[in-house]
Amino acid sequence: MESSILVVGSVALDSVKTPFGQADEVLGGSATYFSVAASFFSRIRVVAVVGTDFGDDHAAMFKRHNIDTDGLVRTDGRTFRWKGEYSYDLNEARTLDTQLNVFESFEPTIPTSYKASDYVFLGNIDPELQLQVLDQIEQPRIVACDTMNFWIDGKLDELKRTLRRVDILLINDGETRMLAGEANLVRAAHKIMAMGPRILIVKRGEYGVLMFNENSIFGAPAFPLEEVYDPTGAGDSFAGGFMGYLAQAGELTDDALRRAIIFGSVMASFNVEKFSLDGLSRLTRTDIDTRFGQFKKLTHFEAL
Ligand code: AMP
């Protein structure tokens, strides 16, 4: 049977400005990027809330990718909005505005059909909501989690409570240092692993990722691209490729984790090549596997 991943996170209307263009109120959000990326590998179930301004054209993206939206609630109010901009090096988003809107009063109820999900991705959202979702899942095999400075700043205690129940944490390098209160990345990683996650994935933008495991560290570069337009959602599409592949593989061996890191990097690379969700939405599994092969060549070397 095809494995299923339950994701909770934001479904958003984003306004984004990069040195190469801008988009206003386009479909985005952590759960959206994650779901579309992961849908190439596994069945995806979304838990999130949207407002009355969320149109059928937005919902079509989920339908087109066979994403189960039984847990996507529509309620009175406005959809979550995020406004951000990137400077020339594109490595870090500057948040200009965050409007939680319908997420402020959201109390997620997990549909019965979702309760037996083996894989859970707690996308970037209020850590209290992440916990409420986790409490309703019967016996997840693997729980992965993302977060950001907004929550490390505003809800540290709640976040630490979530982390105790997480197997894999994915965050960027700045957030790693901030969460650990430690400048050295390796020491910071070990401090965070002592908070709960046995695997930590540190995202470093165009410099790639580092995965810290119980007894190994794996590093992968970002795929070298000539065209990078919009990094929004890079982290979530990375997580989508990573979790999507892990769920498809059905095992958590070091080999599977390393391959998952490369599938994550592949999905992030497609995502940043175009604006908004355009880089992911028209992909085929062949495109993905071809770039996976190119990654193998990029990083392969022979032992002495
Ligand atoms: P990333 O993969 O980190 O680039 O995530 C980008 C997405 O995160 C955007 O589409 C935003 O809508 C969403 N986002 C930004 N800030 C928040 C927040 N505080 N909570 C939840 N989602 C957010």
Side-chain angles (χ1 to χ4, degrees):
M1 196 190 69
E2 205 183 2
S3 44
S4 290
I5 306 174
L6 181 150
V7 51
V8 58
S10 55
V11 171
L13 297 178
D14 287 344
S15 297
V16 181
K17 197 168 167 195
T18 82
F20 312 107
Q22 74 181 69
D24 285 316
E25 307 232 315
V26 291
L27 178 63
S30 52
T32 312
Y33 281 102
F34 177 91
S35 301
V36 175
S39 69
F40 292 93
F41 303 85
S42 303
R43 285 280 300 158
I44 310 302
R45 302 161 164 170
V46 190
V47 176
V49 62
V50 291
T52 43
D53 52 0
F54 191 82
D56 289 345
D57 48 332
H58 298 126
M61 176 67 76
F62 292 89
K63 245 194 216 120
R64 187 155 10 113
H65 291 277
N66 260 328
I67 295 161
D68 186 336
T69 52
D70 282 356
L72 182 65
V73 178
R74 191 189 297 245
T75 183
D76 279 348
R78 277 159 64 81
T79 298
F80 177 96
R81 273 168 174 76
W82 177 74
K83 199 173 190 175
E85 73 177 7
Y86 296 84
S87 58
Y88 206 67
D89 86 351
L90 293 174
N91 258 332
E92 210 163 342
R94 202 160 74 85
T95 294
L96 302 175
D97 190 26
T98 304
Q99 295 175 17
L100 296 177
N101 296 336
V102 288
F103 266 105
E104 235 156 332
S105 53
F106 182 46
E107 305 236 335
T109 309
I110 306 300
T112 316
S113 58
Y114 283 20
K115 292 203 172 185
S117 301
D118 278 339
Y119 295 82
V120 177
F121 182 66
L122 306 172
N124 177 26
I125 195 68
D126 187 333
E128 282 188 84
L129 286 182
Q130 292 179 322
L131 261 190
Q132 277 180 36
V133 168
L134 203 48
D135 281 340
Q136 296 176 61
I137 320 261
E138 276 155 14
Q139 258 191 326
R141 263 179 75 187
I142 303 291
V143 179
C145 175
D146 186 8
T147 191
M148 72 183 292
N149 46 14
F150 189 84
W151 305 113
I152 300 173
D153 249 349
K155 295 223 173 173
L156 186 59
D157 290 343
E158 292 84 349
L159 179 61
K160 285 190 172 166
R161 224 172 296 138
T162 305
L163 290 183
R164 271 183 234 138
R165 294 172 55 188
V166 160
D167 300 290
I168 306 173
L169 176 67
L170 302 98
I171 45 177
N172 72 31
D173 43 1
E175 290 151 1
T176 303
R177 294 188 170 99
M178 186 178 172
L179 180 58
E182 162 68 59
N184 178 284
L185 208 56
V186 180
R187 275 209 298 263
H190 291 133
K191 271 181 125 172
I192 292 173
M193 289 164 83
M195 297 177 190
R198 60 196 155 107
I199 296 163
L200 174 69
I201 295 165
V202 181
K203 301 171 284 182
R204 302 165 65 232
E206 67 177 313
Y207 308 110
V209 289
L210 282 175
M211 173 171 63
F212 296 83
N213 211 335
E214 266 127 332
N215 37 33
S216 75
I217 303 180
F218 176 63
F223 194 71
L225 297 168
E226 274 199 32
E227 306 194 57
V228 178
Y229 279 105
D230 177 10
T232 312
D236 301 303
S237 25
F238 176 91
F242 175 82
M243 280 294 276
Y245 171 74
L246 273 189
Q248 186 183 49
E251 53 175 27
L252 208 65
T253 58
D254 196 49
D255 281 349
L257 282 164
R258 288 172 184 230
R259 275 195 296 272
I261 289 280
I262 302 302
F263 275 115
S265 308
V266 165
M267 299 314 284
S269 74
F270 281 120
N271 178 65
V272 302
E273 278 182 312
K274 306 228 164 81
F275 246 99
S276 184
L277 284 147
D278 296 351
L280 296 181
S281 62
R282 287 179 205 92
L283 282 181
T284 65
R285 186 60 202 248
T286 310
D287 299 329
I288 295 168
D289 291 340
T290 303
R291 190 162 284 183
F292 183 88
Q294 291 166 338
F295 241 108
K296 178 93 179 77
K297 265 200 178 145
L298 173 71
T299 51
H300 182 82
F301 61 92
E302 299 290 344
L304 277 177

